[in-house]
Amino acid sequence: MSTLQADKIIRNARIFTSDHSNPQATALAVNDGKFVYVGDEAGLSAYEGEVTDLGGRFIMPGIIDSHVHITTGVGFEYVDYGEEIACSGKKEALDIMEKYIQNNPGLERYRFMLERASLNGEDFVKEELDAICPDHELQILEAEVHSVWVNSKILEKHGITDDTPDPAPGLAYYVRKDGHLTGNAYESAGWPFVFDYIKAHLTDEQIAAAVSRWIGFCKEYGVSSVFDAGFPEHNDVHERIYAHLRDLDRQGKLPVYVDGCYVLTNRAKMKEAIEETKRFNREFDTEHLKVHTLKIFMDGTMKIETAAMVTPYADTGVSGATTLNAEEIAEVLKELNKAGLDLHLHTVGERSSRVVLDGVEMAKKELGDGFHVKVTCAHLWIQNDADLERFAELGVIANYTPAWHSGVIGGNPYEFWSKLLGEKRASSMYRCKTLWDSGALVTWSSDDVAYGDFSTWNPYLGMEVGMTRNTGKKTKAAEEARTVDALPSSSEGMSIEEMLLGFTINGAKQLGIEDKKGSIAVGKDADYLVFDNDLLTAEHEGFSYNKPKDVYFCGEKLN
């Protein structure tokens, strides 16, 4: 019998394949960037080529991060967040800012950042900001970056008046008092203020430098494929960054598969967004860069109570709002179905995911077997009991960011969420295990909007917290993220096998690339990672310190 040629042959390994039909193997062979054999060592007799004995080391498929922000990360790489203010009330904050402005005369814009909670329930109005900064622009960014205060100079610069409509009433809006602007804006209504300098001044060289840093991270940590969730309210900058990724791919310099999107935050732009998604689909179509998804911000965040709830927030009684209603979601789905496109949605609150599920149900009822849109709900901090089984029933994908599942986000502990949501809901956050066991497709992500040192992009941090529901002393995490106990819904902790599957084959299914990526199987791209440590038996606490020794993308060693 003649032997078959292979570029690389590996024996004596412990291989977690993420292939349900062949879950474990000890040997593999790669040729021309594809797996040509996966199995036991006896089967290697049919192949000849360079042989590597791994001495029992662990191998898994390349990581698939199913919700990241490459393009927003580029923007934040060059955004000036401003001077951080620690205060115990509005008056002290105004005094600090006024003193800073006096000591630093002549700046075009003065930028500050603070925690909304430090205002003790008070709020700035533009007249107060105008009084301390009448001749220059003044911006105060809320620490979660989901709301901002500005003075009249910035409102005038952007043409925002008392008559300007809100992008999404109750969600993305300009705060008004007696019909007049106060200078405070929530969610996508305020993002143009934050990034206006970037939009006007970001250079191609800056884009290249930031993207290079991100690619370096992917090579180091073994991230081989991602879903990029876009740059809200800045699709023009977003497109420039995609153009750079396309150029890199045409030059053979993009060692990560990028599945991209076009972003909608304003219901008035729904038709435009669908047409732009079609255009992106045509224009960004290289080997490792594809766009076939419309991303919709359905609601906001818990911290500032813009996430949409079925039961109102416990402390204020407000309920938040959604960008679209169920009927509008159904109409979007029908248009996307017709164009062969998919839908990805930011859904933090229980009502936002319910509205999506209702819309999917309507569209599927009308289209029947002709419905082919992949629908993914991302974040899912809170889900209503009545909706848990509907993900599997309707085929809606559930994407979670497990690094958040310790209950400490942005330094806010479980007690904070308990006050916000009430004890019952706070103790049933992030019910990923329940959805997994129901048969729903569950995928994992890192979802951070800023590169920084990439510590929060670490997929092994996500795996650790996904398993332990805790960030303890052994966790590779920021000090403010430490918790004493696991989140009360500790029964929602996952196994290591479930974490690996969610970061590999399940992610590939979300991206629609399961025929070529996501598992170590014959015919698929040879994206795989080699570890000195056996991830299947590694201690869960401190799991975040794992990192691959060798990283391969389409058979090529990257590190």
Side-chain angles (χ1 to χ4, degrees):
M1 185 177 76
S2 61
T3 55
L4 302 171
Q5 189 64 38
D7 297 327
K8 191 169 188 64
I9 297 170
I10 289 176
R11 62 178 296 274
N12 192 18
R14 186 176 188 191
I15 305 172
F16 182 86
T17 66
S18 292
D19 178 359
H20 292 292
S21 65
N22 182 31
Q24 299 280 340
T26 58
L28 62 81
V30 174
N31 194 56
D32 197 23
K34 306 283 185 182
F35 294 115
V36 293
Y37 174 77
V38 182
D40 59 23
E41 293 188 22
L44 291 178
S45 60
Y47 296 88
E48 64 177 18
E50 176 193 343
V51 179
T52 301
D53 186 322
L54 280 187
R57 288 190 181 93
F58 181 82
I59 291 179
M60 66 170 287
I63 297 290
I64 299 179
D65 192 329
S66 302
H67 185 110
V68 301
H69 284 278
I70 304 169
T71 57
T72 310
V74 172
F76 272 110
E77 192 85 339
Y78 303 105
V79 156
D80 180 358
Y81 295 89
E83 294 293 313
E84 194 166 342
I85 298 175
C87 62
S88 56
K90 181 173 71 170
K91 184 179 184 306
E92 185 180 1
L94 289 168
D95 289 343
I96 291 170
M97 290 187 290
E98 183 173 22
K99 185 175 181 180
Y100 181 88
I101 292 167
Q102 290 171 352
N103 292 338
N104 297 272
L107 299 185
E108 180 181 351
R109 178 176 295 186
Y110 292 90
R111 293 177 170 85
F112 302 93
M113 175 183 270
L114 56 70
E115 287 279 358
R116 183 178 286 272
S118 68
L119 298 178
N120 299 321
E122 294 184 289
D123 219 341
F124 299 114
V125 293
K126 68 179 188 300
E127 289 78 12
E128 294 168 325
L129 304 184
D130 292 343
I132 64 170
C133 189
D135 302 319
H136 301 274
E137 298 171 0
L138 172 59
Q139 167 190 305
I140 310 165
L141 189 59
E142 174 263 328
E144 201 182 26
V145 199
H146 279 263
S147 65
V148 63
W149 296 267
V150 297
N151 68 351
S152 297
K153 289 285 185 183
I154 294 180
L155 292 171
E156 291 165 7
K157 180 177 182 177
H158 285 265
I160 307 299
T161 70
D162 291 340
D163 298 323
T164 301
D166 294 330
L171 167 60
Y173 59 94
Y174 308 102
V175 178
R176 292 175 167 86
K177 184 176 181 180
D178 300 327
H180 300 293
L181 295 170
T182 66
N184 188 194
Y186 277 76
E187 301 294 351
S188 61
W191 290 334
F193 306 149
V194 179
F195 290 102
D196 54 2
Y197 183 86
I198 296 300
K199 184 172 182 177
H201 296 94
L202 185 67
T203 67
D204 292 343
E205 291 75 19
Q206 288 175 318
I207 291 173
V211 168
S212 178
R213 285 214 316 121
W214 171 72
I215 290 174
F217 157 78
C218 292
K219 288 181 178 180
E220 184 178 359
Y221 281 81
V223 177
S224 65
S225 303
V226 301
F227 173 75
D228 174 62
F231 196 164
E233 289 297 309
H234 291 81
N235 282 304
D236 47 356
V237 179
H238 177 67
E239 183 172 1
R240 285 181 61 196
I241 298 164
Y242 277 8
H244 176 69
L245 292 170
R246 180 181 58 196
D247 290 345
L248 287 178
D249 201 21
R250 287 172 175 170
Q251 297 164 28
K253 297 178 180 179
L254 183 60
V256 187
Y257 182 91
V258 178
D259 191 62
C261 72
Y262 185 89
V263 183
L264 172 68
T265 59
N266 186 334
R267 63 156 41 95
K269 298 180 180 180
M270 186 166 64
K271 290 183 179 180
E272 174 189 334
I274 292 172
E275 291 307 311
E276 285 293 273
T277 307
K278 293 177 185 177
R279 181 175 69 82
F280 271 42
N281 178 248
R282 294 190 299 269
E283 295 196 7
F284 301 110
D285 186 19
T286 54
E287 184 179 6
H288 300 134
L289 175 64
K290 308 285 183 184
V291 177
H292 55 89
T293 302
L294 173 64
K295 157 75 180 297
I296 297 178
F297 269 81
M298 274 296 286
D299 67 346
T301 75
M302 292 286 184
K303 186 175 175 181
I304 58 172
E305 303 190 358
T306 51
M309 307 300 284
V310 173
T311 303
Y313 290 94
D315 59 341
T316 63
V318 301
S319 300
T322 59
T323 301
L324 304 178
N325 60 35
E327 290 77 14
E328 289 167 329
I329 288 289
E331 288 304 311
V332 168
L333 286 169
K334 287 187 283 186
E335 289 299 315
L336 295 177
N337 195 71
K338 195 184 307 180
L341 300 171
D342 295 323
L343 182 62
H344 190 104
L345 307 104
H346 169 114
T347 50
V348 169
E350 57 193 348
R351 184 152 56 93
S352 60
S353 52
R354 172 176 287 185
V355 168
V356 174
L357 292 166
D358 289 346
V360 171
E361 190 168 17
M362 290 176 190
K364 293 189 83 166
K365 186 174 182 179
E366 182 173 338
L367 297 175
D369 292 341
F371 182 86
H372 302 295
V373 181
K374 282 183 183 289
V375 180
T376 302
C377 285
H379 312 317
L380 298 170
W381 290 31
I382 295 289
Q383 293 159 277
N384 191 273
D385 291 349
D387 297 321
L388 293 171
E389 298 289 334
R390 299 178 71 200
F391 283 82
E393 292 168 0
L394 294 168
V396 173
I397 300 164
N399 177 262
Y400 289 90
T401 302
W404 297 346
H405 294 185
S406 68
V408 172
I409 305 167
N412 294 292
Y414 169 73
E415 290 75 18
F416 174 88
W417 305 111
S418 182
K419 180 181 177 182
L420 211 70
L421 301 168
E423 186 68 28
K424 182 179 179 181
R425 279 189 298 181
S427 63
S428 59
M429 297 172 74
Y430 312 118
R431 288 194 273 184
C432 48
K433 179 64 172 171
T434 296
L435 258 70
W436 186 288
D437 290 344
S438 75
L441 183 67
V442 175
T443 62
W444 309 125
S445 64
S446 60
D447 186 40
D448 203 329
V449 296
Y451 291 167
D453 62 1
F454 291 105
S455 59
T456 54
W457 295 59
N458 174 5
Y460 313 103
L461 170 63
M463 292 183 198
E464 176 177 339
V465 181
M467 293 185 287
T468 65
R469 308 282 285 193
N470 194 12
T471 45
K473 291 181 179 179
K474 295 182 180 180
T475 309
K476 189 178 182 180
E479 190 60 37
E480 62 266 21
R482 304 291 179 199
T483 53
V484 177
D485 301 307
L487 192 70
S489 49
S490 54
S491 61
E492 295 291 335
M494 311 297 293
S495 70
I496 180 56
E497 291 85 359
E498 290 165 339
M499 295 309 306
L500 294 176
L501 290 170
F503 265 122
T504 54
I505 188 61
N506 287 13
K509 290 176 181 178
Q510 178 190 309
L511 274 56
I513 55 174
E514 65 269 29
D515 60 332
K516 58 184 178 181
K517 293 185 182 290
S519 62
I520 296 175
V522 172
K524 291 194 177 186
D525 292 347
D527 300 345
Y528 65 101
L529 314 177
V530 181
F531 293 80
D532 287 333
N533 197 24
D534 186 341
L535 299 191
L536 292 176
T537 59
E539 185 180 352
H540 291 177
E541 290 186 31
F543 193 94
S544 45
Y545 280 91
N546 281 293
K547 195 162 63 172
K549 177 179 180 290
D550 299 313
V551 175
Y552 290 84
F553 180 75
C554 293
E556 180 183 349
K557 191 171 184 294
L558 299 182
N559 62 342

